[in-house]
Every structure is written in structure tokens, then in C-alpha cells.
Amino acid sequence: MEKMVVQKIETVSLPVEGMTCASCVARVEKTLTRVDGVEQAAVNLASERVTFSFDPGKTNLNALASVVEKAGYKLLLPDPPSASRSDSAARNDLQENHQERAYRKTKSDFLLSVALSVPVMFISMVSMTDWFMRWSPLSMEEVNKVLFLLSTVVMVLPGKRFFDSAWKQAKHVTADMNTLVAVGTGTAYAFSSLVVLFPHWLPDASAANAIYFDTAATIITLILLGKLLEARAKRKTTDAIRRLLHLQPKTAHLLRDGKELEVEVGELVVNDIIIVRPGEKIPVDGVVTNGSSSVDESLVTGESLPVEKSMSHKLIGGTINKNGSIEFRATAVGKDTVIAHIARLVEDAQGSKAPIQALADKIAGVFVPIVVGIAVLTFVGWYIFGGLPFTSAMVNFIAVLIIACPCALGLATPTAIMVGTGLGATRGILIRDAQSLERAQNVQTIVLDKTGTVTEGKPVVTDLFAFNGFEKTHIVQLAAALENKSEHPLGRAVVEYARKMPVGLPEAESFESDTGWGVRGVVAGASVLIGNAGMMERGAVESVGGSAEGSRVWNNGIVESGGGNSRTANEILASLAAQGKTPILVAIDGKIAGIIGVGDVVKPSSREVIGKLKGLGIDIVMITGDNPATAGAIAAQVGIDEVIAGVLPDEKSRHIKRLQTGGRVVAMVGDGINDAPALAQADVSIAMGSGTDVAMEAADITLMQSDLAGVLEAIALSKRTMLSIKQNLFWAFVYNVIGIPVAALGYLNPMVAAGAMAMSSVSVVSNSLRLRRWRA
């Protein structure tokens, strides 16, 4: 029996040359999706890229590039992948080269056009005065021929791009912005050329004086100016990815066979030992094997303060070592590093489309043909029914074509999405796609996982009580020495607490674990028993002294050492339980010595952030597998009113679904792995404090910092980005809705229309770039 081969679908994002407006976007998308094997395609006009998924068994990139070229555009293919560079770096280089070439070409075309158009405009204006004709050595006919020559150069060289694209579109019976420019300027130029070269062909003498070379040349120049400003502004929208990819240094100090070598970062492999000195960038991801330092992770996680790093701590490539030399073992290189994952995620998000863009896309598909129709009706109406001369009707025809701007419609959404997702990445907020960004603004209920989200996620010692005259430092010293042999999280918390105290940890002489109860052993000649109340009972611990063999009342009458406001053991145990903390009882040589309170403490920012979220009208729910008492105590500390406790991980999704009843938009905040079913069920899933593949691919939003403040900032960023999109779409629509009728009614000069058209696109991009200065 033959094996069935399952072909893997590939998704790529590549630059496309030749796109100028929203009509081009629709054209490229349709061209690709009609190819057998292409599943979906999405074009981002702001970045001039297309992201598409295809089956390599049915088609390939070269074939798709050929199809796109036949449609009048050029799909730029990357060089073969290199082991030394990530995919994102290769694609970014391709994108940068494309953008740089396009910018330089537009700039040179604009400068040439200005150099020729200014004389054309000046001569056209002064030739209408009496003094010019008296002093000019040239006749009017000769002046017009000079204007013809200068304008011809403008049309043939700087203006060539518009006519080439219009011709390609015409061959496929389609049209775009270039069609409008080519028809408008071409009409003015052709008519003026006819007047100058063949005046006897004109039916009336008045038309012989109608020269519009200045109109044609100035329109080309103004539109090129708009394109130049637009290109410069669009380059800034990709600054986030560029900064991320440039974080990685070029070289690294590799320790091999006891010798230090300076090598290219691309030559590093997993398990290499690397040395990083103060002030140097960490080249790849890894784990500290020697030394300690503080590391500036602000450009990756958004954390403003340096993070202390020592043995076994994780390092992120691209971060900056501040004040100590460290050695670390590489755990990820090239495309597998956190920086590469983040860049890829941001790149994908910037290439995606928000649902709000659907209306603009529908309008763009029919925009140009409708505008051409309105322009023709304008000419016919004025010339045949309005009684205007041919030339005046033609001017109104040109004005309608030039004022219409599908560019602004095409740029309104993607520019804001690019800036918003890029800004989020620089602040440690990774947004998977535009849909997630748009949905986040509408969140009505946020469900918070307790452990690691509201709380720190790891137990720490919070309280210490001594009995029967034992010193607290002595209790901690013996307890930590015994727990140092244990791997239990509560035991590790005691050890970490002891290491912060000025006490040494003696070696335990014996150690025995009683699963479910505690541990026992001998430390420094003393018999030590650590565990829960049941462990004390099983160990027949004395309460105050004397023999307590078989006693079950070890805590009766025990009073905390120190007098004053001392409490009984029962009161302390009840108090710890009310606070959601776990008591660890310590007995030394058969006597109860102390109680250590251990708890998963609330994060410093949790209460403040939850208060602000509630202030936005968002309902907050905490969900946890912990018992109701512990969950209730934590919820009370942070101001959460609704708690769902005692829930298994696979049951959380059922509660999310219940909260979604009635169409409420629910966000789930968890760790991105254990909460996977609940995250999948939620309308917006937010994973906290993780840079792992699993978290970034499973969640709609990943927060690089383990801080609830990121949730508040992500929602605020969503609202601000969507406001920019709505502003952009409003101005793009209003511009066209007002501008086209005004031009059709004859109130708009074509040159003024060209300037307005150029500035409409620039204003949309500039409004999106304002997002870069936004602070939550």
C-alpha cells in the first residue's frame, strides 16, 4: 500500500513592486488567489508586501512571481536561505533594499521633474503678460514649443512610471491610481501638443491659445512629491522590526578548548560557551554558567530596570550586559532566538488585515472605474449640456481624475496597524495579528488565572513564628539545611529565604521524605521534623516539654515566643489560612519550634491595575485550581469580586464559554501553556511573561513581562490604534466624497487637485506615525 504524502503548506511574505493604491491591493490578491495551490493572500500597501500561503506540491515562488508580473507588478524573491541568518533578517534585508531603491528612484524623478516644471510654470505665467512678449526674443509659437519640449521630458522620464503602469492595467482591462494620473496628465499634454504642433487642425481659433503643459508637468511633480514624502514616512512604520533585528551584535566571544575566539554570530551553535563583558550585547539566547551581572532587557521586554542574572538564569539575545562579566551556554541561535520569533510575529501581524479594512477594500475594487465614469460624465455634461468650451470641459474632466485618491483608502488601515504592532513590540506587547488588535478594544470581561498572573507564581516565605524559646535564625538555619535536600517548591522557598539571612547552612547528616506529610532528618546533631500538622502528630511532637508520646494535641496551649501581643499556634494557623498561606511547622528535638508561613504573594502592580481595568467598565474574574479559601484571600487583596475556584485546567474553557453568554467579549490572561483550552475559547487570549514559541503562537497577545500592567497597556494600545484607523478612514472618505463633486462642478483647478491628492496620502501616513509618540 502506498504511503500518502501530506504536503506542508508554506506561508511567505515578500515585497511587491509597482503597487500604488488600494486598487492595486485588490488586483494582486485576486491574481494570487486564482492560482491553484494558493490558499489565501493578503497585501499590505503600507509595507508594499504580500503575505500568502501556498502548497509547494502544486506551485512554487517562481511560478507565482511570473503570474504577478503578468498582472503588471513584480514579486521580489529572496536569496536562498543561509544558516547564519534568520528568515526574518533575510526578508528584512530584501525589504530594506526594495524600499531604499524605490525611495532613491522617486527622489531622482522628483528632482528632475521640479527642475523642468518650475521653468514651465514660470514661462507659462509670464508669457501671458505684455512686457514679456516685448522683451522676449522668441515669438509665442516658439515659446510654446519650448514648453512642449520641457514638458515632454517630464512626461517621458519622471512621468514614465504612471504611463507604464496604466498601460499594464489597461492590457488586463483594469485600472488603478496610475490610470487616473496617466489619463488626466496625458489628456492635458496631448491636447496642448496638438495645439502647438498642428494648430490648423483645431476647429476654432480660441482653442489654439489653450496650452496646458504647465498643468500636466505640475501634476506629475506634485504627485511625485507626495510619493516621496509617503515613501519616507512609510519607512518609519517598519522601524520596530528594523530595530529588533539590529539588536543582535555582529560578533561574539566564543570560549573553545580554553581559548577565547572572536567569531561571527552566525557561526555560533547550540551549547557553545560564550563570554560577554560589561557594555556588550548578548549575541544569542542562553543560560548563565558562570558569573553574575545585571542585564538591560528594555528593548525586548519593555522592562525599564536592569534584571539581575546569575547561575542558571536565562538570557535573551540582543539585550545589553551592564556591569559584570558572564559566561553562558547558547540555547538558541539564528531563527530560533527570541528576537527572531518576535520579529517574525510582528512581521506577520503587520501583514495581516483588520476586519475594519473590509469596507475600504470593497470600495477600492470599484473606485477607479467609477471615478473615470464620473470624469467622462463631467466632460459630457459641461461640453454638450453646459455650453462650456471644449478646453474648459476638459479641465474639469482632468480635475475629477486627479482629485480622486484611492491611495489614502489603501493606506488608512495598514499604516496604523504597522505602527501599532511595532510600538507594542518595543514595549514588550506582542500582537499576533490585526484581528487580535481590533478585538482587544472591545473586551468587556477579563478572566485572570491566579498563579503567575495575579500572584508571583512561586511560593516565598512571608511569616516566621518561634515557640518554646527557640531563636528564629536557628529555626530557619536547621529547616533550610534539611529542606536543601528536598525538591519540593515549599522547601525551596525556605532555602531561598535562608540564603538571604546571615546564616550558614550546615550539611544534613540524614534526610528522609514522607510524601504528603513532610521531611525529617538530623542537622548539626539535632533531630528536625518539618511538615504539616499531620506530620507533627505522626512524629509525636511535644507541645511545651516533657513526654508527648502518642499525643494528638501538640498545638494546645503553645504560645509564640516573645510575650507582648503573642498569639497561640491555633490563632497563627487560622490567620495564615485566612490569608491563603501555607503553614510549615518545624519541630526540633521533639519540641515544636516554629511555624513558617509560605505563600504565593500578590504582584505589586496587581491591585492598582485591576482597579484601573474596573474603572474602564471591564468586569474582572479570577479563575484558579486553588481551594476557595486561598483564592478568596488573594481576590480580596487585589479587589476582585468574582472568583471561580477549585477548577481543573481542562474545565476553565467551560467557564469562559459561560461568561461569553449574551455576546460578551471575554479575554483570558494565563501562562499560554497550562491554560491552552481556556485561551483558545476566549475572544482575546493573553499570555503573560513568556517568550516561548508555544505562548507566542497560541495567544493573540503575548506580554514579555510578567506584569498585569501589560494587559492594561495592550487594551489602551488597541483603542488608540483603532482610533487612528477610524480617523484615517474618515479623512480618506471625506476627502473623496467632497473633492470629486467640487471638481465635477468646475470649482477646482487640476494643479490644486494634484497637490491635494498628494497630501491626502501623506496626511494618512503622518497621522498613523503619531502613534509612535503615544504613552499609555
Side-chain angles (χ1 to χ4, degrees), residues 747-776:
Y747 295 120
L748 201 60
N749 182 282
M751 287 184 281
V752 175
M757 177 200 185
M759 290 304 106
S760 66
S761 297
V762 175
S763 64
V764 163
V765 179
S766 299
N767 185 54
S768 295
L769 287 174
R770 288 172 57 228
L771 262 174
R772 299 196 306 172
R773 299 192 297 271
W774 173 81
R775 302 294 303 180

Side-chain angles (χ1 to χ4, degrees), residues 13-77:
S13 180
L14 298 171
V16 180
E17 284 185 353
M19 297 191 302
T20 54
C21 67
S23 299
C24 302
V25 170
R27 175 72 178 160
V28 173
E29 288 177 347
K30 286 178 182 177
T31 298
L32 284 171
T33 52
R34 285 172 183 161
V35 177
D36 183 31
V38 177
E39 293 195 351
Q40 55 87 27
V43 170
N44 185 320
L45 181 61
S47 63
E48 297 177 37
R49 299 179 72 90
V50 59
T51 302
F52 57 93
S53 300
F54 70 101
D55 183 345
K58 295 181 179 179
T59 186
N60 57 64
L61 291 179
N62 288 323
L64 294 174
S66 177
V67 170
V68 171
E69 188 169 1
K70 288 178 182 176
Y73 307 94
K74 186 176 181 180
L75 184 66
L76 301 181
L77 301 183

Side-chain angles (χ1 to χ4, degrees), residues 360-375:
D361 286 346
K362 287 179 181 178
I363 293 174
V366 296
F367 184 85
V368 173
I370 289 175
V371 169
V372 172
I374 293 173

